[in-house]
Amino acid sequence: MSELVQRVDLIFGEYSDQKYKTLAETVGRSNEDIIKDLLDSGLKGRGGAGFPTALKWKFTMEQPADERFVICNADEGEPGTFKDREILSKVPRKVFAGMAICGKVIGAKRGFMYLRGEYKSLLPGLLKEIEIYDETAKKLGIDFKIEIRMGSGAYICGEESALFESMEGKRGEPRNKPPYPTVSGFMNKPTVINNVETFVNVLMICRIGPIQFRKLGTHDSRGSKVFSVSGDTPKAGIYELELGMPLAEFVEEFGDGDTKAVQVGGASGFCVPRKKFKDTIIGFEGVPTGGSMMIFNSSRSMYNVLHNYLEFFEEESCGQCTPCRVGCQQLRKGIEAVKRGDKPVVYLEQLMKLSETMKITAKCGLGQSVANSFSSIVSNFKEEMIY
Amino acid sequence: MTKTKKINIKIDGINVSVEEGTTILNAALNANIHIPTLCYHKDLCVAGNCRVCVVELKGAKNLVASCAMPVSEGMEVFTNTGKVRLARKHIVELLLSEHNADCTKCYKNGNCELQLLASEMLTGEHMFLDLVPDQHYTIDMFNPAIIKDDSRCIRCQRCVRTCEELQSVSALGVAYKGDKMKISTFFEHPMFEVVCTNCGQCVNRCPTGALVERNYVDEVWDAIYDPTKHVVVQTAPAVRIALGESLGMNPGKIVTGKMVAALKRLGFDSVLDTDFTADLTIIEEGNELLTRLKRALVDKDKKVALPMATSCSPGWIKFIEHTFPEYLPNLSTCKSPQQMFGALAKTYYAQKRGLDPKNIVSVSIMPCTAKKFEANRPEMRSSGYQDVDYVLTTRELGIMIKQAGLAFESLPDEHFDSIMGESTGAAVIFGSTGGVMEAALRTAYELVTGREVPFDGLNITPVRGTEGEIREAAIKITDVLPEWKFLEGVELKCVVANGLANAKKVMQAVKDGKADYHFIEIMACPGGCLGGGGQPIPTDREIRNKRKEAIYQEDKGMPIRKSHENPEIKQIYAEFLEKPLGHKSHELLHTHYTPRKRY
Ligand SMILES: Cc1cc2nc3c(=O)[nH]c(=O)nc-3n(C[C@H](O)[C@H](O)[C@H](O)COP(=O)(O)O)c2cc1C
Ligand code: SF4
Ligand code: SF4
Ligand code: SF4
Ligand code: SF4
Ligand code: FES
C-alpha cells in the first residue's frame, strides 16, 4: 500500500477483553471532561455534513428540557455507501457503547437506532447485542434504553429532520431549520443525532484518548474513516483509512490503471477528474465524503453517470420544495435535450445557474447537494454531455 | 412564555426592532418591505416549501426562507439583491414549467397568487422546458361543491395544512415523492367519496386554481334570462358583511342595502333573505330543544338524545356523519336555514304568489361551499322539486356584479322583497360563531320565563364564541312560567365551537363522558360563517374579526332582535305551518342524516 494511504484498525479493531469495558470506565467521568476530550479530538460527524460532534452534544446538553434523545442514524442510503452495514455487523457493541456515552453526557434516557429498511437481516444480531448491552447497563446502573426503529426505504429519511418525522409516524419531509435538532429534534425535544461511525469514533476516543486519536489524519480531518470503495476497481470493498490522503494516492492504490474520475461522497458528492487527482485531499479541507468512493475508468460515459444520479435525485427528493422537486426534473430533462440537440449547448450554462439556485435555496441537504455532482461533471466533462 | 425581548436587525439598510421570535418576513413588513410568498398563510403553520420568499443574509452562503427564519440580533438581511432576484425568478419559472398555465381558461384568472408573481417577475421567456406534457395530472370534477385540478397545483400544501390544522379532517394529504409528489385524497378517491366535508376552507386558502368552488354563474344567468322562470334569491347573513371585499371595499363594511340593490339589478325576480328562515330555525330548534329536555326531565325517557347539537352548518353535518355517526340522533333535525328557505320557496311562497313551483328557480348566495353539496342531497327535495337549485358563494356573486358592470359602491341601499324578506338581529348573528346559541337563548329563555334574557341590551356575551376557542356557558333558568315548571332551577349548559378541529374536541369530550352539555353549537368554519369557505379571498384572522364586528353592529342596529318577534314568522305559523314542530314543519323543515365511512 502507498505510504500516504494508511490502513487503520480503530473502528474495526477487536472488542476489549471485558464486555463494555470502555463504557464502564467512562460512566464514572464527568460530562465536561468527556466533552473536552471530544473537542480536543477534533472529531467531526461521519454522516456527511461534518459538524463537530463535541459541539452538537454540548448544545443539546445545555438546552433546558425535561427529556432528551439520542439517535443513531443507520439509514445509510447514499448510493455507493455500505460502510455502516459493515460496522453494524462487525462491531455493533461499539456503536451502542458510543450511544450510551452520549446518553450519559446529554442526560437522555432513551436512544434509538433508525435502521435502513433494507438492513433487516442485521436485526437479529443487533437485538442480541442490545440484550448484552441491557445486562451490562443494569450492572453499571446506566439508565439508558436503546431501541431499534426500521426505516422504510426512502433516501430522504436519512436527513435528520425527515428521520424524526418518520419516527414520529409522519411523512418523511425535512423540517425548517432553525430550530436545529439540538434544540428541537425527535418529539420536539433536544436530540443528538449522529452517524453510526461517529458513535464508534466517540467510543474509541474514550478508549485511546484524544491525543492518540489526533495523531491520525490532518488538521481539519482528524481520525480515520471507513470507505466504501466501488466501481472500476479490482479491490471493491470496505477499508478503514486515515483521513487526509491525496486522491492520487488513493487512485493508485484502488484504481485499475485507467481511472478517469472518482465520485467522492456518493451521488450528493463531487466528481473529481483525473487532472485534479493530485491536488485533491480526501477530508474536510478538500473533498469531504461520508465514505463513498466510486471509481470510473475511461470506458464509462460520464453523461450516463450524471443521468443516473439525476434520476436518483428526481425520485428520492421528498418533493416538497420547488427548487428540488422541479429542479431535478429540469436538470435531467435538460441534459437529455442538449444531448438530443433539442437545446443548444449554451443551455448547459442555464442549467448550471439553475443548479446553483438549487444549492442556495433548497430546503434541505438533498436539494442543496444536487449541484455538487451536476456542476462537477458538467464542467469537467462537457464534451461528453454534448456528443 | 413572555416574548418581550426586542431584537435589532437591519433589512435593506433599514434598522428594524422587533420582538424575539418574529420571522424575517414579518420584520420586513414592519419596515414596509413586501417579500413575495406562496406557501405562507397567516392562518397556518409555516411550511417553508415554495422558497419564493428567500432573502440573503450577510455572511451566509445560502439564501434563507424569510417566512421560516426567525430574526437574531445583528442580522443583516437583503431582500432585493441580484442573487435573490435570480433565485426567485428561477423558482417561479420552475413552478410554471410544471403548471398548466392557460390562465384564460382558469377560474382564478385575475385572482391568483402565482399569476401575480409571474407577472411581477416578467416571466415571459420560458426559461426551462415544459414539463406538463409528461405529467399525468388529474382533474376531479365529480363533486357538486369543489373542483380539484392537479394541473394547477403548486404543492404549497396550504390545503393540507388547512384540512389538518384547522379542520382536523385530513381529507387531503401528500402522496408519493419526488417528481410524482402530489396532493391526494385517501387512495386518490374522488373528493365526494372521502371524508371531505366540502367546507371549502382549503379552497379559500389555495393560492391558485387547483382547488376552487364549482361555480354556477352561467346557470344562474340562464335562469334569469329565461322568461318562463321566476328566479328567487336568498342571501345568508354572513354575505352582507363580506361581499364588499370582493368588490374592492375594505373588510368590515356592512353592505346589505347595496347587495339587495345589486341583486335586483342583476334581474332576480325576488330578493329575499335567508335570515327569515334563520329566525324560523330558532323557533323550530328552540322548541325541539325544550321538547327533548322535557322528555329527559319529566318523562325520564332514557333514549332522548342529549346534548342536542345545531344542524345549520352542512360542513359540520358531513363531518359528524363521517366521524361520529353514533351521534347523529343528537343533531337537531332542523334543516339549515338555506334548505328551509328552499322548501318554503317552492311551497308557501309559490302559493302566496300564485306561482307554479316548477317555474321557480331558487338560488342562494352563501358564504359556504358545503351548501352547494347540501342543496344536492337527495333528502333536500321536500317541495317535490330540488328545493334549492343553485348555490353561489359570496365570491361568485361578486363576479356576477362585476360582469354586470355595476358600480357597487355607489349603489343606493334597497330593501328585501316580501314575503320571506323580513328578519331580525337574532338571524343576522347566525353568521358568527355563537350566534345561533345567542339567538336561541333570546327566544327560548323568554318563552320559558316570560322575561327577556337577563343580559344588558340582549347581548349574551358569554356565548359569543371566540375564534379557535371552545366556549362554555351555563345559564340558570328561574321563575319559569307554569307550563315549564320542570325547567325551574335548571342550569342550561351550552358550548360553542367553531372550526372542525374544535368540533372534534367537543364531540370527543361528549363521547368520553367528560361533558354534560345540553346544547352544542358548532360551525364548521373558523369564526363561523363569516369565515366560510365561500367568502372573499383572502380571509384571515384579522379580516374575520372585522367581519365579526360588522355582524354584531348590524344586530344592534336592527329594530327587532328576537326571532319570535319577526312578524313574517308569526304570519307563516298563522297561515301555513300552524305550529312549531307541527305536521307541515316536519314535512318541510326537518330532515334526517346518513352515517358515512371514516376515510
Ligand atoms: C438527503 C440526506 C440523506 C442523509 N442520509 C444520511 C444517512 O443515511 N446516514 C447518516 O448518518 N446521515 C445522513 N444524512 C446526514 C444527516 O442529516 C445528519 O447530518 C447526520 O446523521 C449527522 O450525523 P453526524 O454528525 O454524525 O455526521 C443525510 C442527509 C441528507 C440531506
Ligand atoms: S430539498 Fe428536496 S428533499 Fe429536501 S425538502 Fe426540498 S424537496 Fe424535499
Ligand atoms: S392557477 Fe393561476 S397561474 Fe395557473 S392557470 Fe390559473 S390563473 Fe393562471
Ligand atoms: S373542503 Fe374542508 S374538509 Fe374538504 S378537503 Fe377542503 S378543508 Fe378539508
Ligand atoms: S391544491 Fe392549492 S393549496 Fe393545495 S397544494 Fe395545490 S396549490 Fe397549494
Ligand atoms: S413563503 Fe416562505 S417558503 Fe413559501
Side-chain angles (χ1 to χ4, degrees):
Chain A
M1 209 172 249
S2 140
E3 221 171 88
L4 288 161
V5 180
Q6 286 296 336
R7 293 203 54 173
V8 186
D9 240 358
L10 200 57
I11 305 285
F12 290 112
E14 281 179 23
Y15 284 158
S16 34
D17 44 358
Q18 175 194 331
K19 284 173 193 161
Y20 291 95
K21 189 173 171 199
T22 311
L23 174 61
E25 287 164 6
T26 312
V27 285
R29 296 177 55 194
S30 83
N31 295 336
E32 287 66 30
D33 212 26
I34 300 171
I35 294 272
K36 185 168 181 304
D37 272 6
L38 289 183
L39 205 56
D40 290 345
S41 74
L43 175 64
K44 289 182 181 168
R46 299 301 195 230
F51 191 80
T53 306
L55 294 181
K56 194 183 269 193
W57 289 24
K58 191 167 179 299
F59 294 155
T60 311
M61 170 177 139
E62 287 168 353
Q63 185 65 31
D66 55 354
E67 203 176 7
R68 299 185 184 83
F69 295 108
V70 175
I71 293 176
C72 173
N73 190 341
D75 196 44
E76 195 164 53
E78 188 66 48
T81 316
F82 37 96
K83 49 105 185 165
D84 291 342
R85 185 181 62 192
E86 191 81 355
I87 295 175
L88 290 172
S89 51
K90 297 246 168 81
V91 289
R93 182 167 304 166
K94 294 187 182 179
V95 182
F96 294 140
M99 290 175 69
I101 292 173
C102 182
K104 167 198 151 46
V105 171
I106 66 162
K109 292 194 167 48
R110 291 177 78 189
F112 299 89
M113 174 175 285
Y114 187 89
L115 185 63
R116 177 178 176 161
E118 289 87 337
Y119 289 177
K120 220 166 59 200
S121 60
L122 297 178
L123 198 55
L126 291 171
L127 290 174
K128 217 182 231 156
E129 182 55 44
I130 287 186
E131 274 175 32
I132 301 174
Y133 163 78
D134 280 342
E135 276 170 32
T136 322
K138 208 164 156 193
K139 267 189 239 149
L140 295 174
I142 298 174
D143 183 11
F144 181 75
K145 283 256 167 283
I146 297 174
E147 296 161 49
I148 297 184
R149 296 283 172 91
M150 297 303 292
S152 55
Y155 169 60
I156 191 58
C157 289
E159 194 281 337
E160 52 198 24
S161 62
L163 186 150
F164 302 146
E165 292 283 299
S166 161
M167 276 182 55
E168 290 171 14
K170 293 179 252 170
R171 184 183 153 82
E173 280 189 0
R175 300 175 180 168
N176 290 304
K177 286 177 219 165
Y180 292 96
T182 52
V183 173
S184 175
F186 178 53
M187 307 295 278
N188 299 321
K189 303 287 181 190
T191 304
V192 162
I193 178 164
N194 277 129
N195 177 251
V196 173
E197 191 181 344
T198 311
F199 282 118
V200 179
N201 273 299
V202 167
L203 182 78
M204 296 321 289
I205 291 163
C206 290
R207 186 187 292 176
I208 64 174
I211 299 174
Q212 201 64 20
F213 185 84
R214 282 175 70 90
K215 287 190 180 149
L216 294 170
T218 59
H219 181 268
D220 285 333
S221 312
R222 298 292 179 190
S224 68
K225 178 88 197 73
V226 183
F227 290 93
S228 319
V229 181
S230 65
D232 298 314
T233 165
K235 301 192 206 166
I238 301 285
Y239 299 88
E240 184 179 347
L241 306 171
E242 198 178 337
L243 275 170
M245 65 195 153
L247 187 55
E249 307 291 326
F250 174 87
V251 170
E252 193 172 312
E253 180 67 32
F254 291 97
D256 62 357
D258 183 27
T259 304
K260 159 161 94 171
V262 180
Q263 179 77 17
V264 183
S268 59
F270 293 86
C271 182
V272 184
R274 185 183 293 147
K275 62 176 187 279
K276 293 185 186 160
F277 287 170
K278 254 208 187 67
D279 304 327
T280 304
I281 299 288
I282 305 302
F284 296 109
E285 59 269 75
V287 185
T289 169
S292 164
M293 303 292 280
M294 279 189 262
I295 302 175
F296 300 109
N297 68 19
S298 57
S299 72
R300 304 289 160 188
S301 149
M302 295 314 287
Y303 170 86
N304 287 346
V305 168
L306 177 60
H307 193 267
N308 206 334
Y309 291 160
L310 291 173
E311 274 182 338
F312 171 79
F313 286 126
E314 202 177 341
E315 206 179 303
E316 293 301 331
S317 150
C318 80
Q320 69 161 316
C321 80
T322 314
C324 175
R325 179 187 66 248
V326 198
C328 290
Q329 296 175 63
Q330 287 292 353
L331 294 183
R332 198 256 302 161
K333 293 198 172 170
I335 62 166
E336 284 174 5
V338 171
K339 191 86 173 172
R340 276 198 315 268
D342 288 352
K343 280 278 181 188
V345 175
V346 290
Y347 191 61
L348 288 174
E349 300 302 315
Q350 181 83 290
L351 295 178
M352 290 284 269
K353 282 190 201 152
L354 172 60
S355 75
E356 177 61 20
T357 291
M358 291 166 68
K359 183 182 199 131
I360 62 173
T361 64
K363 184 166 171 179
C364 87
L366 189 151
Q368 289 164 6
S369 61
V370 175
N372 297 349
S373 50
F374 187 85
S375 64
S376 58
I377 294 179
V378 169
S379 59
N380 288 307
F381 300 96
K382 198 164 171 185
E383 331 71 54
E384 292 194 39
M385 298 299 121
I386 305 165
Y387 309 108
Chain B
M1 259 213 300
T2 44
K3 273 194 183 172
T4 41
K5 201 174 154 202
K6 287 277 179 185
I7 304 282
N8 301 298
I9 66 166
K10 216 174 217 181
I11 305 181
D12 298 336
I14 303 168
N15 288 317
V16 187
S17 176
V18 289
E19 269 183 22
E20 188 173 16
T22 308
T23 58
I24 295 176
L25 178 71
N26 289 326
L29 273 182
N30 277 10
N32 286 321
I33 294 168
H34 172 83
I35 297 172
T37 55
L38 279 173
C39 66
Y40 176 78
H41 192 286
K42 282 185 194 165
D43 286 345
L44 305 172
C45 79
V46 170
N49 60 30
C50 76
R51 314 305 284 178
V52 294
C53 69
V54 286
V55 295
E56 200 171 334
L57 292 189
K58 189 170 181 181
K61 273 192 311 212
N62 288 357
L63 305 180
V64 299
S66 60
C67 70
M69 181 61 105
V71 294
S72 58
E73 191 60 40
M75 200 179 235
E76 273 191 59
V77 182
F78 303 93
T79 71
N80 198 23
T81 62
K83 200 167 156 185
V84 167
R85 285 169 58 87
L86 180 65
R88 284 189 194 150
K89 181 150 179 168
H90 273 159
I91 288 167
V92 173
E93 288 276 5
L94 288 175
L95 286 172
L96 292 175
S97 76
E98 59 170 6
H99 191 86
N100 171 21
D102 51 355
C103 299
T104 53
K105 294 179 192 160
C106 180
Y107 185 57
K108 288 297 274 295
N109 192 3
N111 189 13
C112 168
E113 294 181 39
L114 178 63
Q115 190 186 46
L116 187 67
L117 261 185
S119 80
E120 279 173 6
M121 291 189 184
L122 306 174
T123 54
E125 66 212 66
H126 293 287
M127 237 175 207
F128 302 119
L129 299 168
D130 182 7
L131 303 176
V132 178
D134 295 337
Q135 297 277 3
H136 301 282
Y137 289 130
T138 44
I139 306 181
D140 176 357
M141 306 236 283
F142 295 108
N143 187 324
I146 292 170
I147 294 173
K148 175 170 174 281
D149 180 350
D150 293 345
S151 74
R152 307 208 204 265
C153 173
I154 59 167
R155 281 86 150 174
C156 67
Q157 299 190 39
R158 279 193 194 172
C159 54
V160 175
R161 284 174 283 151
T162 300
C163 199
E164 184 181 320
E165 290 167 25
L166 302 179
Q167 301 300 66
S168 59
V169 173
S170 298
L172 296 173
V174 178
Y176 309 108
K177 59 183 171 35
D179 51 330
K180 298 188 181 59
M181 180 269 205
K182 65 179 288 194
I183 307 304
S184 176
T185 52
F186 182 79
F187 279 100
E188 300 192 50
H189 285 294
M191 282 182 78
F192 83 97
E193 281 183 3
V194 299
V195 284
C196 170
T197 66
N198 302 299
C199 71
Q201 287 302 313
C202 55
V203 170
N204 200 291
R205 286 176 186 73
C206 178
T208 69
L211 278 167
V212 295
E213 67 264 33
R214 178 185 284 273
N215 85 78
Y216 296 91
V217 169
D218 285 340
E219 286 84 343
V220 171
W221 278 124
D222 285 347
I224 288 173
Y225 294 140
D226 185 341
T228 67
K229 299 293 183 202
H230 177 90
V231 188
V232 297
V233 62
Q234 54 165 319
T235 60
V239 175
R240 65 205 65 187
I241 47 90
L243 175 65
E245 294 166 39
S246 275
L247 297 154
M249 296 165 75
N250 287 330
K253 287 262 160 31
I254 303 169
V255 294
T256 318
K258 295 187 195 305
M259 172 184 76
V260 172
L263 288 165
K264 289 184 176 172
R265 283 170 209 214
L266 293 181
F268 287 100
D269 295 298
S270 194
V271 179
L272 304 175
D273 201 351
T274 316
D275 285 16
F276 166 74
T277 37
D279 280 331
L280 192 57
T281 302
I282 289 304
I283 308 297
E284 291 287 324
E285 198 163 298
N287 277 285
E288 188 184 1
L289 176 65
L290 293 173
T291 308
R292 288 197 196 193
L293 286 173
K294 176 170 176 295
R295 277 173 52 203
L297 296 174
V298 181
D299 312 339
K300 307 283 178 211
D301 179 350
K302 290 244 158 13
K303 277 187 292 182
V304 59
L306 281 172
M308 188 178 93
T310 57
S311 59
C312 41
S313 170
W316 153 239
I317 298 298
K318 189 144 183 283
F319 178 79
I320 188 170
E321 287 178 335
H322 283 290
T323 317
F324 295 96
E326 66 276 28
Y327 282 94
L328 291 181
N330 292 63
L331 283 176
S332 159
T333 58
C334 286
K335 287 180 183 171
S336 72
Q338 159 176 286
Q339 292 306 138
M340 286 196 181
F341 192 103
L344 293 173
K346 294 191 182 180
T347 53
Y348 174 62
Y349 174 87
Q351 278 172 31
K352 293 281 282 187
R353 299 294 285 286
L355 294 162
D356 183 344
K358 86 169 192 297
N359 292 328
I360 293 181
V361 175
S362 163
V363 176
S364 72
I365 316 290
M366 293 286 142
C368 182
T369 50
K371 294 220 165 66
K372 289 177 186 267
F373 175 86
E374 184 188 34
N376 281 280
R377 279 178 175 253
E379 309 87 276
M380 300 301 172
R381 306 177 66 92
S382 38
S383 63
Y385 303 87
Q386 181 165 324
D387 295 333
V388 174
D389 294 287
Y390 303 112
V391 179
L392 304 183
T393 57
T394 310
R395 297 189 289 267
E396 288 165 82
L397 176 58
I399 291 171
M400 288 185 75
I401 292 171
K402 281 187 205 157
Q403 286 177 336
L406 299 179
F408 186 72
E409 280 192 65
S410 45
L411 288 176
D413 286 346
E414 290 181 21
H415 291 288
F416 284 107
D417 292 319
S418 180
I419 48 169
M420 294 172 42
E422 194 74 65
S423 80
T424 68
V428 168
I429 57 176
F430 260 63
S432 173
T433 170
V436 179
M437 182 67 69
E438 179 166 353
L441 289 175
R442 282 184 196 169
T443 288
Y445 190 92
E446 196 165 323
L447 190 67
V448 170
T449 65
R451 304 184 307 273
E452 285 192 340
V453 280
F455 289 91
D456 189 28
L458 295 177
N459 299 321
I460 315 181
T461 40
V463 300
R464 291 200 176 163
T466 315
E467 201 185 302
E469 253 180 43
I470 295 170
R471 179 158 287 206
E472 293 176 332
I475 299 212
K476 190 145 183 148
I477 307 173
T478 50
D479 298 327
V480 296
L481 295 173
E483 61 267 42
W484 299 102
K485 234 176 50 216
F486 67 95
L487 284 175
E488 181 63 41
V490 166
E491 203 177 30
L492 193 66
K493 291 190 177 145
C494 313
V495 63
V496 168
N498 61 96
L500 291 172
N502 291 318
K504 194 171 187 176
K505 287 186 201 146
V506 167
M507 290 314 292
Q508 199 58 50
V510 169
K511 195 169 169 174
D512 297 343
K514 288 186 191 142
D516 57 348
Y517 307 124
H518 297 109
F519 193 26
I520 300 177
E521 182 211 284
I522 306 258
M523 299 281 171
C525 293
C529 304
L530 57 86
Q535 292 285 56
I537 298 171
T539 292
D540 58 37
R541 181 180 286 255
E542 202 179 309
I543 293 174
R544 284 189 295 270
N545 281 338
K546 295 213 169 107
R547 293 179 192 156
K548 182 172 168 184
E549 278 166 30
I551 279 197
Y552 284 106
Q553 195 187 328
E554 175 93 336
D555 167 35
K556 247 190 212 151
M558 296 288 277
I560 310 174
R561 299 189 46 216
K562 294 176 276 187
S563 298
H564 55 280
E565 290 178 357
N566 182 336
E568 284 193 350
I569 293 289
K570 292 180 184 163
Q571 187 188 1
I572 195 172
Y573 278 112
E575 293 177 358
F576 185 72
L577 294 170
E578 292 169 14
K579 62 175 198 291
L581 308 182
H583 167 69
K584 266 251 160 47
S585 290
H586 270 289
E587 198 179 298
L588 296 174
L589 309 182
H590 292 257
T591 184
H592 57 273
Y593 307 101
T594 320
R596 292 172 199 266
K597 288 177 292 197
R598 285 188 189 219
Y599 54 80

